[in-house]
Amino acid sequence: EGFGSNAWAVAGSKTSDGSALLSGDGHLMLSVPSLFVQIGLDTSVFGSGDIHQLGLTIPGLPVMAVGTNGHVAWSQTQLQAEVRMHW
């Protein structure tokens, strides 16, 4: 109670330049200190990989919670959920 999480997107057909928009807000409680660390991942630097990502991660988790690879963007929402079914 008192906090939640949301994300929304706008199709490129609805923007002036044709680019899609993504917004995400993880809604961490104010009592939680900032956990995110900026990270850049480029596997071509130490090999012949083709991964190029920029974003935010939480130390200790093996995922980039918020980021982009220049073609696709993603955003996290809070990790706990409450689902109510209405029939």
Side-chain angles (χ1 to χ4, degrees):
E1 188 174 309
F3 70 100
S5 189
N6 56 58
W8 55 266
V10 176
S13 62
K14 302 296 183 184
T15 65
S16 61
D17 67 354
S19 296
L21 300 172
L22 173 69
S23 177
D25 188 355
H27 288 283
L28 294 174
M29 293 182 292
L30 293 177
S31 62
V32 176
S34 177
L35 299 174
F36 291 109
V37 175
Q38 292 179 343
I39 186 171
L41 177 62
D42 188 340
T43 58
S44 68
V45 174
F46 295 110
S48 60
D50 60 355
I51 297 174
H52 310 284
Q53 298 177 348
L54 297 171
L56 303 172
T57 187
I58 298 174
L61 293 181
V63 296
M64 187 179 297
V66 178
T68 183
N69 64 9
H71 302 285
V72 176
W74 56 91
S75 180
Q76 59 84 34
T77 56
Q78 75 178 20
L79 300 176
Q80 64 190 60
E82 178 180 338
V83 178
R84 296 180 185 185
M85 301 296 248
H86 297 282
W87 302 100

Coordinates of all heavy atoms in Angstrom, one line a residue:
E1 N 0.8 -1.2 0.0 CA 0.0 0.0 0.0 C 0.9 1.2 0.0 O 1.9 1.3 0.7 CB -0.9 0.0 1.2 CG -1.9 1.1 1.2 CD -2.9 1.0 2.4 OE1 -3.4 -0.1 2.6 OE2 -3.1 2.0 3.1
G2 N 0.5 2.3 -0.7 CA 1.2 3.5 -0.7 C 2.2 3.6 -1.9 O 2.8 4.7 -2.0
F3 N 2.5 2.6 -2.6 CA 3.4 2.7 -3.7 C 3.0 1.6 -4.8 O 2.3 0.7 -4.5 CB 4.9 2.6 -3.4 CG 5.3 1.2 -3.0 CD1 6.0 0.4 -3.8 CD2 5.1 0.7 -1.7 CE1 6.4 -0.9 -3.5 CE2 5.5 -0.5 -1.3 CZ 6.1 -1.3 -2.2
G4 N 3.4 1.9 -6.0 CA 3.1 0.9 -7.1 C 4.1 1.1 -8.2 O 5.2 1.6 -7.9
S5 N 3.7 0.6 -9.3 CA 4.7 0.7 -10.4 C 3.9 0.8 -11.7 O 2.8 0.2 -11.8 CB 5.5 -0.6 -10.4 OG 6.6 -0.5 -11.3
N6 N 4.5 1.4 -12.7 CA 3.8 1.5 -14.0 C 4.7 1.7 -15.1 O 5.9 2.1 -14.9 CB 2.7 2.7 -13.9 CG 3.4 4.0 -13.6 OD1 4.3 4.5 -14.2 ND2 2.9 4.6 -12.5
A7 N 4.3 1.5 -16.3 CA 5.0 1.7 -17.5 C 4.0 2.0 -18.6 O 2.9 1.5 -18.6 CB 5.9 0.5 -17.9
W8 N 4.4 2.7 -19.6 CA 3.6 3.0 -20.7 C 4.4 3.2 -22.0 O 5.6 3.5 -21.9 CB 2.6 4.1 -20.5 CG 3.2 5.4 -20.1 CD1 3.4 5.9 -18.8 CD2 3.7 6.5 -21.0 NE1 4.0 7.1 -18.9 CE2 4.2 7.5 -20.2 CE3 3.8 6.6 -22.4 CZ2 4.8 8.7 -20.7 CZ3 4.4 7.7 -22.9 CH2 4.9 8.7 -22.1
A9 N 3.8 3.0 -23.1 CA 4.5 3.2 -24.4 C 3.6 3.9 -25.4 O 2.3 3.9 -25.3 CB 4.9 1.8 -25.0
V10 N 4.2 4.6 -26.3 CA 3.5 5.3 -27.4 C 4.0 4.8 -28.7 O 5.2 4.8 -28.9 CB 3.6 6.9 -27.3 CG1 2.9 7.6 -28.5 CG2 3.1 7.4 -26.0
A11 N 3.2 4.4 -29.6 CA 3.6 3.9 -30.9 C 4.2 5.0 -31.8 O 3.8 6.2 -31.7 CB 2.4 3.3 -31.7
G12 N 5.2 4.7 -32.6 CA 5.8 5.6 -33.5 C 4.8 6.3 -34.4 O 5.0 7.5 -34.8
S13 N 3.7 5.6 -34.7 CA 2.7 6.2 -35.6 C 2.0 7.4 -34.9 O 1.3 8.1 -35.6 CB 1.7 5.2 -36.1 OG 1.0 4.6 -35.0
K14 N 2.1 7.5 -33.6 CA 1.5 8.6 -32.9 C 2.4 9.7 -32.5 O 2.0 10.6 -31.8 CB 0.8 8.0 -31.6 CG -0.2 6.9 -31.9 CD -1.4 7.4 -32.7 CE -2.4 6.3 -32.9 NZ -3.5 6.7 -33.7
T15 N 3.7 9.7 -32.9 CA 4.6 10.7 -32.5 C 5.0 11.5 -33.8 O 4.8 11.1 -34.9 CB 5.9 10.1 -31.9 OG1 6.6 9.4 -32.9 CG2 5.6 9.3 -30.7
S16 N 5.5 12.8 -33.5 CA 5.8 13.6 -34.7 C 7.0 13.2 -35.5 O 7.0 13.5 -36.7 CB 6.1 15.1 -34.1 OG 7.2 15.1 -33.3
D17 N 7.9 12.5 -35.0 CA 9.1 12.0 -35.8 C 9.1 10.5 -36.1 O 10.0 10.0 -36.7 CB 10.4 12.4 -35.1 CG 10.6 11.6 -33.8 OD1 9.7 10.9 -33.3 OD2 11.7 11.8 -33.2
G18 N 8.0 9.8 -35.7 CA 7.9 8.4 -36.0 C 8.6 7.5 -35.0 O 8.7 6.3 -35.2
S19 N 9.3 8.0 -34.0 CA 10.0 7.2 -33.0 C 9.0 6.8 -31.9 O 8.2 7.7 -31.4 CB 11.1 8.0 -32.4 OG 12.1 8.3 -33.4
A20 N 9.1 5.6 -31.5 CA 8.2 5.1 -30.4 C 8.8 5.7 -29.1 O 10.0 6.0 -29.0 CB 8.2 3.6 -30.3
L21 N 8.0 5.8 -28.0 CA 8.4 6.3 -26.7 C 8.1 5.2 -25.7 O 7.1 4.5 -25.8 CB 7.6 7.6 -26.4 CG 7.8 8.8 -27.3 CD1 6.8 9.9 -26.8 CD2 9.2 9.3 -27.2
L22 N 9.0 5.1 -24.7 CA 8.8 4.2 -23.6 C 9.0 4.9 -22.3 O 10.0 5.7 -22.2 CB 9.7 3.0 -23.7 CG 9.7 2.0 -22.4 CD1 8.4 1.3 -22.4 CD2 10.9 1.1 -22.5
S23 N 8.2 4.8 -21.3 CA 8.4 5.4 -20.0 C 8.1 4.3 -19.0 O 7.1 3.6 -19.0 CB 7.4 6.5 -19.8 OG 7.5 7.1 -18.5
G24 N 9.0 4.2 -18.0 CA 8.8 3.3 -16.9 C 9.1 3.9 -15.6 O 10.0 4.8 -15.5
D25 N 8.4 3.6 -14.6 CA 8.6 4.2 -13.2 C 8.5 3.1 -12.2 O 7.4 2.6 -12.0 CB 7.6 5.3 -13.0 CG 7.8 6.1 -11.7 OD1 8.8 5.7 -11.0 OD2 7.1 7.0 -11.5
G26 N 9.6 2.6 -11.7 CA 9.6 1.5 -10.8 C 9.1 1.7 -9.4 O 8.8 0.8 -8.7
H27 N 8.9 3.0 -9.0 CA 8.3 3.3 -7.7 C 8.9 2.6 -6.5 O 8.2 1.9 -5.8 CB 6.8 3.1 -7.7 CG 6.0 4.0 -8.5 ND1 5.6 5.3 -8.1 CD2 5.4 3.9 -9.7 CE1 4.9 5.9 -9.0 NE2 4.8 5.0 -10.0
L28 N 10.2 2.8 -6.3 CA 10.8 2.3 -5.1 C 10.3 3.1 -4.0 O 10.1 4.3 -4.1 CB 12.3 2.3 -5.2 CG 12.9 1.4 -6.3 CD1 14.4 1.6 -6.4 CD2 12.6 -0.1 -5.9
M29 N 10.1 2.5 -2.8 CA 9.7 3.3 -1.6 C 10.8 4.3 -1.3 O 12.0 4.1 -1.5 CB 9.5 2.4 -0.4 CG 8.3 1.4 -0.6 SD 8.0 0.3 0.8 CE 9.5 -0.7 0.8
L30 N 10.4 5.5 -0.8 CA 11.3 6.5 -0.4 C 12.3 6.1 0.7 O 13.3 6.7 0.8 CB 10.5 7.8 0.0 CG 9.7 8.5 -1.2 CD1 8.9 9.6 -0.6 CD2 10.6 8.9 -2.3
S31 N 11.9 5.1 1.4 CA 12.8 4.6 2.5 C 14.0 3.8 1.9 O 14.9 3.5 2.6 CB 12.0 3.8 3.5 OG 11.5 2.7 2.9
V32 N 13.9 3.5 0.7 CA 14.9 2.7 0.0 C 15.9 3.6 -0.7 O 15.5 4.5 -1.5 CB 14.3 1.7 -1.0 CG1 15.4 1.0 -1.8 CG2 13.4 0.8 -0.4
P33 N 17.2 3.5 -0.4 CA 18.2 4.4 -1.0 C 18.3 4.0 -2.5 O 17.9 3.0 -2.9 CB 19.5 4.1 -0.3 CG 19.3 2.8 0.3 CD 17.8 2.6 0.6
S34 N 18.8 5.0 -3.3 CA 19.0 4.7 -4.7 C 19.8 3.5 -4.9 O 20.9 3.4 -4.4 CB 19.6 5.9 -5.4 OG 19.8 5.7 -6.7
L35 N 19.3 2.5 -5.7 CA 20.0 1.3 -5.9 C 20.6 1.2 -7.3 O 21.4 0.3 -7.5 CB 19.0 0.1 -5.7 CG 18.3 0.0 -4.4 CD1 17.3 -1.1 -4.4 CD2 19.3 -0.3 -3.3
F36 N 20.1 2.0 -8.2 CA 20.6 1.8 -9.6 C 22.0 2.4 -9.8 O 22.4 3.4 -9.3 CB 19.6 2.5 -10.5 CG 18.3 1.9 -10.6 CD1 17.2 2.5 -10.0 CD2 18.1 0.6 -11.2 CE1 15.9 1.9 -10.1 CE2 16.9 0.0 -11.3 CZ 15.8 0.6 -10.7
V37 N 22.7 1.7 -10.7 CA 24.1 2.1 -11.1 C 24.0 2.1 -12.6 O 23.5 1.2 -13.3 CB 25.1 1.1 -10.6 CG1 26.5 1.4 -11.1 CG2 25.1 1.0 -9.1
Q38 N 24.6 3.2 -13.2 CA 24.6 3.3 -14.6 C 25.7 2.3 -15.2 O 26.7 2.2 -14.6 CB 25.0 4.7 -15.1 CG 24.0 5.8 -14.8 CD 24.4 7.2 -15.2 OE1 25.6 7.4 -15.4 NE2 23.5 8.1 -15.3
I39 N 25.3 1.7 -16.3 CA 26.2 0.7 -16.9 C 26.2 0.8 -18.4 O 25.2 1.2 -19.0 CB 25.9 -0.7 -16.4 CG1 26.9 -1.7 -16.9 CG2 24.5 -1.1 -16.9 CD1 26.7 -3.1 -16.3
G40 N 27.3 0.6 -19.0 CA 27.4 0.5 -20.5 C 28.1 -0.9 -20.7 O 29.1 -1.2 -20.1
L41 N 27.5 -1.6 -21.6 CA 28.0 -3.0 -22.0 C 28.2 -3.0 -23.5 O 27.3 -2.8 -24.3 CB 26.9 -4.0 -21.6 CG 27.2 -5.5 -21.9 CD1 28.4 -5.9 -21.2 CD2 26.0 -6.3 -21.6
D42 N 29.5 -3.2 -23.8 CA 29.9 -3.3 -25.2 C 30.8 -4.5 -25.4 O 32.0 -4.4 -25.0 CB 30.6 -2.0 -25.6 CG 30.8 -1.9 -27.1 OD1 30.8 -3.0 -27.8 OD2 31.0 -0.8 -27.6
T43 N 30.3 -5.6 -26.0 CA 31.1 -6.8 -26.1 C 32.1 -6.7 -27.2 O 33.0 -7.6 -27.4 CB 30.3 -8.0 -26.2 OG1 29.4 -7.9 -27.4 CG2 29.4 -8.2 -25.0
S44 N 32.1 -5.7 -28.0 CA 33.1 -5.6 -29.1 C 34.4 -5.1 -28.6 O 35.5 -5.2 -29.2 CB 32.6 -4.6 -30.2 OG 32.5 -3.3 -29.8
V45 N 34.4 -4.5 -27.4 CA 35.7 -4.0 -26.8 C 36.7 -5.1 -26.5 O 37.8 -5.0 -26.8 CB 35.4 -3.1 -25.5 CG1 36.6 -2.7 -24.8 CG2 34.5 -1.9 -25.9
F46 N 36.2 -6.2 -25.9 CA 37.0 -7.3 -25.5 C 36.6 -8.6 -26.3 O 36.5 -9.6 -25.7 CB 37.0 -7.6 -24.0 CG 37.5 -6.4 -23.2 CD1 36.7 -5.7 -22.4 CD2 38.9 -6.2 -23.2 CE1 37.2 -4.6 -21.7 CE2 39.4 -5.1 -22.5 CZ 38.6 -4.3 -21.7
G47 N 36.4 -8.5 -27.5 CA 36.0 -9.6 -28.3 C 35.3 -9.2 -29.6 O 35.3 -8.0 -29.9
S48 N 34.7 -10.1 -30.2 CA 34.0 -9.8 -31.5 C 32.5 -9.8 -31.3 O 31.7 -10.0 -32.2 CB 34.4 -10.8 -32.5 OG 34.1 -12.1 -32.1
G49 N 32.0 -9.5 -30.1 CA 30.6 -9.6 -29.8 C 29.8 -8.4 -30.4 O 30.4 -7.4 -30.8
D50 N 28.5 -8.5 -30.4 CA 27.7 -7.4 -31.0 C 26.7 -6.9 -30.0 O 25.7 -6.3 -30.4 CB 27.0 -7.9 -32.3 CG 26.1 -9.1 -32.0 OD1 26.1 -9.6 -30.9 OD2 25.4 -9.5 -33.0
I51 N 27.0 -7.0 -28.7 CA 26.1 -6.4 -27.7 C 26.5 -5.0 -27.4 O 27.7 -4.8 -27.0 CB 26.0 -7.3 -26.5 CG1 25.5 -8.7 -26.8 CG2 25.2 -6.6 -25.4 CD1 25.6 -9.7 -25.6
H52 N 25.6 -4.1 -27.5 CA 25.9 -2.7 -27.2 C 24.7 -2.2 -26.4 O 23.6 -2.0 -27.0 CB 26.1 -1.8 -28.4 CG 27.0 -2.4 -29.4 ND1 28.4 -2.3 -29.2 CD2 26.9 -3.0 -30.6 CE1 29.0 -2.9 -30.2 NE2 28.1 -3.3 -31.1
Q53 N 24.8 -2.0 -25.1 CA 23.7 -1.6 -24.3 C 24.1 -0.5 -23.3 O 25.2 -0.5 -22.8 CB 23.1 -2.8 -23.5 CG 22.6 -3.9 -24.3 CD 22.1 -5.1 -23.5 OE1 22.4 -5.2 -22.3 NE2 21.5 -6.0 -24.1
L54 N 23.2 0.4 -23.0 CA 23.3 1.4 -22.0 C 22.1 1.4 -21.1 O 21.0 1.2 -21.6 CB 23.4 2.8 -22.7 CG 24.6 3.1 -23.6 CD1 24.4 4.4 -24.3 CD2 25.9 3.1 -22.8
G55 N 22.3 1.5 -19.8 CA 21.2 1.5 -18.9 C 21.5 1.6 -17.5 O 22.6 2.1 -17.1
L56 N 20.6 1.0 -16.7 CA 20.8 1.0 -15.2 C 20.7 -0.4 -14.7 O 19.9 -1.2 -15.2 CB 19.7 1.8 -14.6 CG 19.6 3.3 -15.0 CD1 18.3 3.9 -14.4 CD2 20.8 4.1 -14.5
T57 N 21.4 -0.8 -13.7 CA 21.3 -2.1 -13.1 C 21.3 -1.9 -11.6 O 21.7 -0.9 -11.1 CB 22.5 -3.0 -13.6 OG1 22.3 -4.3 -13.1 CG2 23.8 -2.5 -13.1
I58 N 20.9 -3.0 -10.9 CA 21.0 -3.1 -9.5 C 22.1 -4.0 -9.1 O 22.1 -5.1 -9.6 CB 19.6 -3.6 -8.9 CG1 18.5 -2.6 -9.2 CG2 19.8 -3.8 -7.4 CD1 17.1 -3.1 -8.8
P59 N 23.1 -3.6 -8.4 CA 24.3 -4.4 -8.1 C 23.9 -5.8 -7.6 O 23.0 -5.9 -6.7 CB 25.1 -3.6 -7.1 CG 24.7 -2.2 -7.4 CD 23.3 -2.2 -7.8
G60 N 24.4 -6.8 -8.1 CA 24.1 -8.2 -7.7 C 23.1 -8.9 -8.5 O 23.0 -10.1 -8.5
L61 N 22.3 -8.1 -9.3 CA 21.3 -8.8 -10.2 C 21.9 -8.9 -11.6 O 22.6 -8.1 -12.1 CB 20.1 -7.9 -10.3 CG 19.2 -7.8 -9.0 CD1 18.0 -7.0 -9.3 CD2 18.9 -9.2 -8.5
P62 N 21.7 -10.1 -12.2 CA 22.3 -10.3 -13.5 C 21.5 -9.8 -14.7 O 21.5 -10.3 -15.8 CB 22.3 -11.9 -13.6 CG 21.1 -12.3 -12.8 CD 21.0 -11.2 -11.7
V63 N 20.8 -8.7 -14.5 CA 20.0 -8.1 -15.6 C 20.2 -6.6 -15.6 O 20.6 -6.0 -14.6 CB 18.5 -8.4 -15.4 CG1 18.2 -9.8 -15.5 CG2 18.0 -7.8 -14.1
M64 N 20.0 -6.0 -16.7 CA 20.0 -4.5 -16.8 C 18.5 -4.1 -16.8 O 17.7 -4.3 -17.7 CB 20.6 -4.1 -18.2 CG 20.8 -2.6 -18.3 SD 21.6 -2.1 -19.8 CE 23.2 -2.8 -19.7
A65 N 18.1 -3.6 -15.6 CA 16.7 -3.3 -15.4 C 16.1 -2.3 -16.3 O 14.9 -2.4 -16.7 CB 16.5 -2.9 -13.9
V66 N 16.8 -1.3 -16.7 CA 16.3 -0.2 -17.5 C 17.4 0.1 -18.5 O 18.6 0.2 -18.2 CB 16.1 1.1 -16.7 CG1 15.6 2.3 -17.6 CG2 15.1 0.9 -15.6
G67 N 17.1 0.1 -19.8 CA 18.1 0.3 -20.8 C 17.7 0.4 -22.2 O 16.5 0.3 -22.5
T68 N 18.7 0.5 -23.1 CA 18.5 0.5 -24.5 C 19.7 -0.1 -25.2 O 20.8 -0.1 -24.7 CB 18.2 1.9 -25.1 OG1 17.9 1.8 -26.5 CG2 19.4 2.8 -24.8
N69 N 19.4 -0.7 -26.4 CA 20.5 -1.1 -27.3 C 20.6 -0.3 -28.5 O 21.2 -0.6 -29.5 CB 20.4 -2.6 -27.6 CG 19.2 -2.9 -28.4 OD1 18.4 -2.1 -28.9 ND2 18.9 -4.2 -28.6
G70 N 19.8 0.8 -28.5 CA 19.8 1.7 -29.7 C 18.6 1.4 -30.6 O 18.3 2.2 -31.5
H71 N 18.1 0.2 -30.5 CA 16.9 -0.2 -31.4 C 15.7 -0.5 -30.5 O 14.6 -0.3 -31.0 CB 17.3 -1.5 -32.2 CG 18.5 -1.3 -33.0 ND1 18.5 -0.6 -34.2 CD2 19.7 -1.7 -32.9 CE1 19.7 -0.6 -34.7 NE2 20.5 -1.3 -34.0
V72 N 15.9 -1.0 -29.3 CA 14.8 -1.4 -28.4 C 15.2 -0.8 -27.0 O 16.3 -0.8 -26.6 CB 14.7 -3.0 -28.3 CG1 13.7 -3.4 -27.3 CG2 14.4 -3.6 -29.7
A73 N 14.1 -0.4 -26.3 CA 14.3 0.1 -24.9 C 13.5 -0.8 -24.0 O 12.5 -1.4 -24.4 CB 13.9 1.5 -24.8
W74 N 13.9 -0.9 -22.8 CA 13.1 -1.6 -21.8 C 13.2 -0.9 -20.4 O 14.0 -0.1 -20.2 CB 13.6 -3.1 -21.7 CG 15.0 -3.2 -21.3 CD1 15.6 -3.3 -20.1 CD2 16.1 -3.2 -22.3 NE1 17.0 -3.4 -20.2 CE2 17.3 -3.4 -21.5 CE3 16.2 -3.2 -23.7 CZ2 18.6 -3.4 -22.1 CZ3 17.5 -3.3 -24.3 CH2 18.6 -3.4 -23.5
S75 N 12.2 -1.2 -19.6 CA 12.1 -0.6 -18.3 C 11.5 -1.6 -17.3 O 10.6 -2.4 -17.7 CB 11.2 0.6 -18.3 OG 11.1 1.2 -17.1
Q76 N 12.0 -1.6 -16.1 CA 11.5 -2.5 -15.1 C 10.3 -1.9 -14.4 O 10.1 -0.7 -14.4 CB 12.6 -2.8 -14.1 CG 13.2 -1.6 -13.4 CD 12.4 -1.2 -12.2 OE1 11.8 -2.0 -11.4 NE2 12.4 0.1 -11.9
T77 N 9.5 -2.7 -13.7 CA 8.5 -2.3 -12.8 C 8.8 -3.0 -11.5 O 9.6 -3.9 -11.4 CB 7.1 -2.6 -13.3 OG1 7.0 -4.0 -13.6 CG2 6.8 -1.8 -14.5
Q78 N 8.1 -2.7 -10.4 CA 8.4 -3.3 -9.1 C 8.3 -4.8 -9.2 O 7.6 -5.4 -10.0 CB 7.5 -2.7 -8.0 CG 6.1 -3.3 -8.0 CD 5.3 -2.7 -6.9 OE1 5.7 -1.7 -6.3 NE2 4.3 -3.3 -6.6
L79 N 9.1 -5.5 -8.4 CA 9.3 -6.9 -8.5 C 8.2 -7.7 -7.8 O 8.2 -8.9 -7.9 CB 10.7 -7.3 -7.9 CG 11.9 -6.7 -8.7 CD1 13.2 -7.0 -8.0 CD2 11.9 -7.1 -10.1
Q80 N 7.4 -7.1 -7.0 CA 6.3 -7.8 -6.3 C 5.0 -7.4 -7.0 O 4.9 -6.3 -7.6 CB 6.3 -7.5 -4.8 CG 6.0 -6.1 -4.5 CD 6.2 -5.8 -3.0 OE1 7.3 -6.0 -2.5 NE2 5.1 -5.4 -2.3
A81 N 4.1 -8.3 -7.0 CA 2.8 -8.0 -7.7 C 1.6 -8.4 -6.8 O 1.7 -9.3 -6.0 CB 2.8 -8.7 -9.0
E82 N 0.5 -7.7 -7.1 CA -0.7 -8.1 -6.5 C -1.7 -8.1 -7.7 O -1.9 -7.2 -8.4 CB -1.2 -7.0 -5.5 CG -2.6 -7.4 -5.0 CD -3.1 -6.3 -3.9 OE1 -2.3 -5.6 -3.4 OE2 -4.3 -6.3 -3.8
V83 N -2.3 -9.3 -7.9 CA -3.2 -9.5 -9.1 C -4.6 -9.8 -8.5 O -4.7 -10.7 -7.7 CB -2.7 -10.6 -10.0 CG1 -3.6 -10.8 -11.1 CG2 -1.3 -10.3 -10.5
R84 N -5.5 -9.1 -9.0 CA -6.9 -9.3 -8.6 C -7.7 -9.7 -9.8 O -7.7 -8.9 -10.8 CB -7.5 -8.1 -7.9 CG -6.8 -7.7 -6.6 CD -7.4 -6.5 -6.0 NE -6.7 -6.2 -4.8 CZ -7.0 -5.2 -3.9 NH1 -8.1 -4.6 -4.2 NH2 -6.2 -5.0 -2.9
M85 N -8.4 -10.8 -9.7 CA -9.2 -11.2 -10.8 C -10.7 -10.8 -10.6 O -11.2 -11.1 -9.5 CB -9.1 -12.7 -11.1 CG -7.7 -13.2 -11.3 SD -7.1 -12.5 -12.9 CE -7.1 -13.9 -13.8
H86 N -11.3 -10.1 -11.5 CA -12.7 -9.8 -11.4 C -13.5 -10.5 -12.5 O -13.2 -10.3 -13.6 CB -12.9 -8.3 -11.5 CG -12.2 -7.5 -10.4 ND1 -12.7 -7.4 -9.2 CD2 -11.1 -6.8 -10.4 CE1 -11.9 -6.7 -8.4 NE2 -10.9 -6.3 -9.2
W87 N -14.4 -11.4 -12.1 CA -15.2 -12.1 -13.1 C -16.5 -11.6 -13.3 O -17.3 -11.2 -12.5 CB -15.3 -13.6 -12.6 CG -13.9 -14.2 -12.4 CD1 -13.3 -14.4 -11.2 CD2 -13.0 -14.7 -13.4 NE1 -12.1 -15.0 -11.4 CE2 -11.9 -15.2 -12.7 CE3 -13.1 -14.8 -14.7 CZ2 -10.8 -15.7 -13.4 CZ3 -12.0 -15.3 -15.4 CH2 -10.9 -15.8 -14.7

